[in-house]
Amino acid sequence: MNSLKKQCHFCTNGIKEIDYKEVEVLKQFIDTHGRIVNHRRSSVCAKHQRKLATAIKRARFLALMPFIIS
């Protein structure tokens, strides 16, 4: 078994807050259908995964990001 774990993108880069207006950062955590990628695949810690999901949902509501990608 591989003992190396991926590190959280936000913890390693020292990003304190996840802003819903930074659409390019949020797009990294959306799959090809427009769904939010789970923490196992994105290797984001639980604290940042919750903040990330909230930021993506806010960006969708304000029409900065699409709800689905067809």
Side-chain angles (χ1 to χ4, degrees), residues 2-57:
N2 192 359
S3 63
L4 296 174
K5 286 182 77 174
K6 289 175 143 183
Q7 296 292 318
C8 175
H9 170 75
F10 301 105
C11 291
T12 56
N13 293 330
I15 300 172
K16 298 284 183 186
E17 291 296 320
I18 302 172
D19 193 14
Y20 66 91
K21 293 174 273 190
E22 296 176 2
V23 178
E24 295 302 318
V25 175
L26 298 178
K27 281 184 182 178
Q28 297 174 359
F29 301 99
I30 298 289
D31 69 358
T32 57
H33 297 291
R35 295 178 295 210
I36 299 171
V37 177
N38 65 6
H39 72 279
R40 289 183 196 94
R41 192 159 159 223
S42 65
S43 70
V44 177
C45 67
K47 177 175 109 176
H48 287 116
Q49 180 70 22
R50 289 189 298 271
K51 290 184 179 185
L52 177 67
T54 304
I56 290 172
K57 290 173 187 177

